[in-house]
Amino acid sequence: MQQSKYLDFLAEFGVGGAHPGGIELTKEIFKNENINRMTRVLDAGCGTGQTAAYLASTYGAKVTGMDVNPTMVAKAVNRMRSNRLPVRLVQGSIEQMPFPDQSFDIIICESVLSFVDKPKALSEIYRILRTGGRFIAIELTVNDLLEPQLEEEIKQFYGFEAFCSKKDWIDLCKQAGFENIRIKKNKSIQSAPDFQHSEDISPDLYEVMAEHYNLNLEYQNELDYRIYTSTK
Ligand SMILES: C[S@@+](CC[C@H](N)C(=O)[O-])C[C@H]1O[C@@H](n2cnc3c(N)ncnc32)[C@H](O)[C@@H]1O
C-alpha cells in the first residue's frame, strides 16, 4: 500500500496520539498491564513517539519505537532528546521488523495495522514477542458493512487495506497464534493530540486535515474502534 495523503498529513503536522482515544486511552490500558523497569516494550508504528515517551517516563520501561516513515522517526527522536528519554528509535516496516525472535515482553500497536498487510504484520509481531508476552492493539473496527462506494472512498483517503469487523480482527489474531484475546471499547476517553509541525507544509495537506475531521464527524458511528489485548 502506498503512503496515503492522510499519513503524509500526520507526518508533516507531526500529530502525536494519532489513534482513537489518544494518550489518555493509552494510559488507561497500561494500568491493567504488568509493566516495570525490566519490561521490554515495542511501540510498532510509533509515529512521533508520544506513547513510547509516556511508557519510558512513567514506568522506566525499556522502550523501542519503530515507524516506517522517516519524518515520524525524526520527530520521535526530537521528542526523546528534548525530554532526555532513553528510548531507542528505529525506522522499519511492521511487515518485516529488524528484531530477533522473542525480543519484547509487550508490543503495542496504536492505529497502525489498518494501514498494512495485516497477516504479515501480525505474524511478525508474534515472532518478536516472547512466549507469554502481551500484544495490545487499538484499531478501527466497523460495526456494519458500509456502502461499497463510501467504503472505497474512505479506504482510498486513508490508505487502508481493508475494513475489519470485531470478528475479522479476532480471526486475524487467532490465525497469527495469539491466545486469550479480549476486546474492549472505551468511547468516553478522548485526548487532544500534540503537534510537531514541519517547516514547510504543503497547502494541500491542510485540505487533507479538514477532510479527515469531516469524515470522522460524519461517520463517527460507522468508523468505530476497539482495544484488542492478547497473549502469545
Ligand atoms: C495513525 S498513525 C498512528 C501513529 C501512532 N501509533 C500514534 O498513535 O500516534 C499510523 C502510523 O503508522 C505508521 N505506519 C504506516 N505503515 C507502516 C508500516 N508498514 N510499518 C510501520 N509503521 C507504519 C505511519 O507512518 C504512522 O506513523
Side-chain angles (χ1 to χ4, degrees), residues 1-3 6-8 10-11 15-20 22-23 26 43-51 66-70 72-73 79 90-97 108-117 121 138 158-160 194:
M1 173 72 58
Q2 268 197 329
Q3 172 88 354
Y6 171 69
L7 290 175
D8 290 343
L10 290 181
V15 183
H19 57 271
I23 189 69
T26 306
D43 183 359
C46 63
T48 68
Q50 194 190 43
T51 290
M66 193 208 71
D67 202 284
V68 77
N69 185 311
M72 287 298 201
V73 176
R79 184 194 292 276
V90 177
Q91 189 195 343
S93 174
I94 197 169
E95 294 171 2
Q96 194 177 9
M97 292 195 265
I108 178 147
C109 214
E110 298 179 303
S111 214
V112 179
L113 294 172
S114 297
F115 298 95
V116 302
D117 180 325
I138 304 173
Y158 286 101
F160 291 148
D194 65 19

Side-chain angles (χ1 to χ4, degrees), residues 18-163:
H19 57 271
I23 189 69
E24 297 305 326
L25 179 61
T26 306
K27 291 179 185 176
E28 276 309 303
I29 292 171
F30 276 92
K31 282 182 189 163
N32 298 316
E33 295 295 327
N34 195 359
I35 173 168
N36 58 45
R37 289 176 44 245
M38 301 307 289
T39 315
R40 300 161 302 167
V41 185
L42 173 67
D43 183 359
C46 63
T48 68
Q50 194 190 43
T51 290
Y54 170 74
L55 297 177
S57 62
T58 307
Y59 297 101
K62 297 181 196 310
V63 184
T64 302
M66 193 208 71
D67 202 284
V68 77
N69 185 311
T71 305
M72 287 298 201
V73 176
K75 290 182 180 184
V77 167
N78 274 343
R79 184 194 292 276
M80 304 315 162
R81 261 198 206 127
S82 35
N83 292 288
R84 297 175 181 229
L85 290 168
V87 171
R88 172 171 63 147
L89 290 158
V90 177
Q91 189 195 343
S93 174
I94 197 169
E95 294 171 2
Q96 194 177 9
M97 292 195 265
F99 307 111
D101 296 359
Q102 310 239 8
S103 300
F104 297 97
D105 304 300
I106 300 181
I107 299 179
I108 178 147
C109 214
E110 298 179 303
S111 214
V112 179
L113 294 172
S114 297
F115 298 95
V116 302
D117 180 325
K118 299 175 191 68
K120 250 191 188 169
L122 285 165
S123 98
E124 273 294 87
I125 291 168
Y126 191 84
R127 177 183 70 76
I128 64 172
L129 191 62
R130 76 157 162 84
T131 306
R134 298 277 290 152
F135 170 52
I136 303 162
I138 304 173
E139 285 298 332
L140 172 76
T141 301
V142 291
N143 297 318
D144 293 306
L145 287 177
L146 300 176
E147 292 277 316
Q149 200 186 329
L150 176 64
E151 176 170 333
E152 202 42 50
E153 206 179 295
I154 297 177
K155 266 167 42 181
Q156 285 283 334
F157 176 76
Y158 286 101
F160 291 148
E161 277 261 310
F163 284 108

